[in-house]
Amino acid sequence: MTQARAGQRVVVLGAGMVGVACALSLRQRGLAVTVIDPLGPGAATSHGNAGVLARSSLMPFNHPGLWAQLPNLLRGRNPGFRYHPLWTLGQWRWGLSFLAHAREPVFRETTTALDALIRHSGTVHRRWMDAAGVAQRRRDDGWLFLYRSEAAFAAGAFGRETLARFGVATRVLNAPALHDLEPHLKPVFPRTLWVQNASAVDSPGEVVRGYAAWLQALGGVLQVDQAQRLTRAERSWTVHTSGGAALPADHVVLALGPWSRDFLREQLGLRLPMGFERGQHRHFHPSPGASLNRPVYDTAGGYVLAPMAQGLRLTTGVELNAQQAPPNREQLEAAERAAREAMPLGERTQDPDWLGSRPTLPDCRPMIGACPGHAGLWLALGHQHIGFSTGPGTGELLAQLMLGEPTTIDPQPFSPGRFLRA
């Protein structure tokens, strides 16, 4: 491992939440940081999420209960999960590894690691939002898991027990208590779990852009360009871009989200076991007189509805498919139908429907650390659907590793060496 020191040049590839967070953490430690991204900050995957910052996100999709759910999931009857059969068969190695990690020992390791990363990120988020002037975008009144039947609520006992084990503050609500909290939800939810120590923002993309503006005020450089090629000479790297630039760097941080897999294979011949949890969103005007105070997750409908600056944002669950496959609006249309059963939605806004990919590794943990066999190359990728919640903690952990500082959280569960070899 080649450690960094103040004054050295770092090029960060990717300007989503994770890339910008890495750049901020490094710049605050005195490194000369340049971030490059073809779309600019917060314009891709970081733009499209539900904006929730919650410790309840420590629950990975491949938990031990997945085995019992698998027959129903494969039949395609779960509105929160869709898959493309041919693509999924082509990714059988990733799929088998993903299922192999749905065991109790791995689950405990993953939840412990993710909880530490999310908690650390929450602390840093609050500090950074104040410093970047975007704290007004945050609400701290939690979010809701909605259940359409007592049986569905009972089936969620494992998740609630896990949250309780980690001390996540929750409260179970009956229908009248839910009405007091969210009076414009329709009376179709007899039970609700209120995750109380959670926050949400009204525009994830604007928060990332606020962080990027703060980075530039601190002397960091942001370039709208695309990395096409990496070359190594002696002890330094050169990042060649589609715009014709050749950026020298003592260190390179790869934070390209779902584009990381192909980039590593094409540039370095590394095979990253990454799948894509694709998701979509659509915005609606609230019906006159109706409002939503916090994000809600309809566990039966498989969607999240969140109040945003753009209106009410409806986000879908998971679709396993190729990253570049054309949009399939069936899941989004089904989510809209279910949401209209729960909330008086108005007309769609003029914003186009959005599609993005959440990059997922087989154990549902990101890679944070040095790339094996490639001195000066660092990885911050594979954050599945919680990159917005875990970005600042990732940036801080990566900077601590790069500069040889004591780490705030245990880095071992996030080591790139668990899937990549020198």
Side-chain angles (χ1 to χ4, degrees):
M1 180 189 301
T2 302
Q3 290 185 337
R5 60 181 184 273
Q8 286 191 316
R9 303 160 299 178
V10 180
V11 174
V12 178
L13 309 184
M17 172 57 77
V18 172
V20 170
C22 291
L24 267 173
S25 295
L26 292 167
R27 181 61 196 142
Q28 290 178 75
R29 288 164 169 80
L31 283 85
V33 179
T34 298
V35 183
I36 63 173
D37 189 287
L39 300 177
T45 311
S46 293
H47 162 76
N49 61 78
V52 175
L53 305 168
R55 289 179 62 202
S56 54
S57 299
L58 62 87
M59 283 287 294
F61 189 76
N62 56 350
H63 54 78
L66 176 62
W67 289 100
Q69 299 171 2
L70 198 58
N72 181 56
L73 292 174
L74 293 177
R75 283 194 293 267
R77 296 178 181 177
N78 188 309
F81 176 81
R82 303 292 174 93
Y83 68 100
H84 189 281
L86 290 179
W87 183 85
T88 306
L89 284 173
Q91 302 297 312
W92 63 271
R93 287 188 176 88
W94 175 86
L96 290 179
S97 183
F98 187 86
L99 290 172
H101 284 86
R103 295 178 290 109
E104 183 66 28
V106 182
F107 173 77
R108 287 186 172 269
E109 183 180 9
T110 294
T111 50
T112 300
L114 290 182
D115 184 56
L117 185 59
I118 293 168
R119 283 189 288 110
H120 184 37
S121 291
T123 300
V124 179
H125 256 309
R126 288 177 178 273
R127 185 169 73 244
W128 284 6
M129 285 185 188
D130 289 338
V134 294
Q136 76 282 359
R137 294 194 171 276
R138 190 185 71 239
R139 306 177 303 274
D140 298 320
D141 44 10
W143 74 312
L144 305 176
F145 286 48
L146 309 174
Y147 297 88
R148 296 197 180 205
S149 69
E150 294 288 351
F153 179 75
F158 177 74
R160 294 191 298 277
E161 291 165 1
T162 301
L163 297 184
R165 180 160 56 87
F166 282 95
V168 179
T170 63
R171 178 182 167 191
V172 177
L173 307 176
N174 59 18
L178 174 61
H179 178 76
D180 291 342
L181 207 60
E182 293 289 354
H184 298 115
L185 286 175
K186 296 179 181 180
V188 295
F189 303 107
R191 290 282 181 175
T192 296
L193 184 71
W194 181 11
V195 181
Q196 295 174 295
N197 57 350
S199 302
V201 301
D202 69 358
S203 180
E206 287 301 323
V207 171
V208 177
R209 285 184 279 276
Y211 287 171
W214 180 35
L215 170 68
Q216 290 175 294
L218 294 175
V221 176
L222 179 66
Q223 293 185 204
V224 179
D225 206 344
Q226 183 167 357
Q228 284 196 325
R229 189 162 53 94
L230 277 181
T231 57
R232 175 83 175 169
E234 297 182 357
R235 297 184 179 181
S236 66
W237 292 90
T238 301
V239 180
H240 304 268
T241 75
S242 59
L247 305 176
D250 300 294
H251 301 269
V252 174
V253 176
L254 182 63
L256 289 174
W259 293 274
S260 300
R261 187 185 74 169
D262 289 349
F263 191 85
L264 282 173
R265 185 180 67 248
E266 292 165 2
Q267 299 302 314
L268 302 173
L270 296 176
R271 294 195 172 274
L272 187 66
M274 178 179 285
F276 305 109
E277 297 181 38
R278 303 206 319 169
Q280 302 177 64
H281 81 217
R282 175 177 287 172
H283 290 133
F284 298 87
H285 297 292
S287 290
S291 63
L292 192 65
N293 299 313
R294 53 185 60 73
V296 299
Y297 168 43
D298 183 346
T299 58
Y303 65 84
V304 172
L305 193 64
M308 293 279 175
Q310 302 94 330
L312 291 175
R313 174 174 291 181
L314 176 73
T315 66
T316 67
V318 171
E319 180 203 9
L320 295 183
N321 203 345
Q323 183 192 2
Q324 302 300 334
N328 180 348
R329 300 299 183 198
E330 180 182 338
Q331 189 176 27
L332 186 57
E333 298 293 342
E336 179 179 340
R337 290 192 296 271
R340 290 190 179 279
E341 296 172 356
M343 177 83 188
L345 297 180
E347 296 298 318
R348 299 179 191 174
T349 70
Q350 295 299 311
D351 295 327
D353 293 341
W354 177 88
L355 170 66
S357 296
R358 301 122 170 179
T360 303
L361 299 172
D363 58 4
C364 286
R365 291 178 233 149
M367 281 187 176
I368 308 170
C371 182
H374 297 276
L377 179 63
W378 304 82
L379 306 180
L381 53 89
H383 291 72
Q384 26 117 3
H385 61 280
I386 58 172
F388 191 75
S389 290
T390 55
T394 295
E396 285 291 281
L397 179 58
L398 187 77
Q400 290 165 349
L401 292 170
M402 287 180 68
L403 279 86
E405 300 174 359
T407 58
T408 306
I409 65 173
D410 181 7
Q412 190 58 38
F414 307 107
S415 170
R418 67 193 199 275
F419 292 119
L420 295 176
R421 299 289 183 268

